[in-house]
């Protein structure tokens, strides 16, 4: 399973790099890279499921709602399509999509609870 997880992560890195190359919105590859790198370290320190954290960190801004007329489901659909195409197991897909659906930064004072440790790790990494 570990080799498969690593392979899926490697494919996802390339997919996200291609998807976000040339993005000038602040949600470019380098933003994703910083979130991913920090989330990996935080996941290890917190004992979170590494594969879920890495995939969610890499895919968290896929089709961001701010750039799709407020459609908060677009990112989840795109992430799910990618993960299914990549051969990711259904449990991981479910967990990654849950994080993407819950992650948010719409401003101070807006409650954004996360239902999993992995989600908290990704959200904190994104906000840092």
């Amino acid at each position: 399973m570990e080799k498969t997880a690593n392979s899926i992560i490697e494919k996802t890195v390339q997919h996200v790099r291609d998807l976000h190359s040339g993005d000038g919105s602040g949600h470019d590859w380098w933003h994703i890279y910083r979130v991913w790198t920090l989330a990996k370290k935080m996941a290890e320190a917190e004992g979170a499921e590494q594969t879920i954290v890495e995939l969610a960190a890499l895919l968290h801004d896929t089709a961001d709602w701010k750039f799709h007329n407020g459609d908060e489901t677009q990112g989840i659909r795109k992430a799910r399509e990618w993960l299914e195409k990549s051969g990711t197991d259904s449990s991981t897909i479910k967990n990654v999509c849950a994080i993407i659906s819950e992650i948010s930064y719409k401003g101070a004072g807006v409650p954004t609870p996360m239902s999993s440790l992995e989600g908290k790790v990704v959200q904190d990494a994104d906000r840092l």
Side-chain angles (χ1 to χ4, degrees):
M1 176 63 184
E2 188 62 33
K3 185 175 183 182
T4 302
N6 286 338
S7 173
I8 292 168
I9 290 168
E10 288 173 17
K11 289 180 198 174
T12 303
V13 167
Q14 189 57 52
H15 170 70
V16 172
R17 282 184 84 147
D18 293 345
L19 190 66
H20 292 275
S21 69
D23 186 311
S25 70
H27 291 82
D28 63 356
W29 163 247
W30 296 111
H31 163 72
I32 302 297
Y33 178 80
R34 286 187 298 272
V35 172
W36 174 48
T37 302
L38 185 54
K40 287 191 292 186
K41 292 176 186 174
M42 292 170 67
E44 186 175 336
E46 295 294 331
E49 190 354 273
Q50 195 75 29
T51 300
I52 292 169
V53 167
E54 288 194 49
L55 290 171
L58 286 164
L59 295 166
H60 81 280
D61 275 338
T62 301
D64 189 282
W65 67 273
K66 292 183 287 299
F67 309 112
H68 290 85
N69 298 318
D71 183 354
E72 295 182 13
T73 64
Q74 183 78 356
I76 301 160
R77 282 195 306 272
K78 294 290 187 184
R80 179 179 303 281
E81 288 171 10
W82 168 255
L83 292 169
E84 288 173 350
K85 178 180 167 184
S86 300
T88 307
D89 67 87
S90 60
S91 176
T92 299
I93 293 171
K94 177 184 168 193
N95 287 309
V96 169
C97 289
I99 292 168
I100 293 169
S101 74
E102 295 172 356
I103 199 166
S104 172
Y105 192 70
K106 295 181 182 170
V110 176
T112 52
M114 297 302 287
S115 61
S116 68
L117 173 60
E118 292 75 17
K120 291 174 184 178
V121 166
V122 175
Q123 188 171 57
D124 284 352
D126 187 32
R127 290 181 175 182
L128 291 173

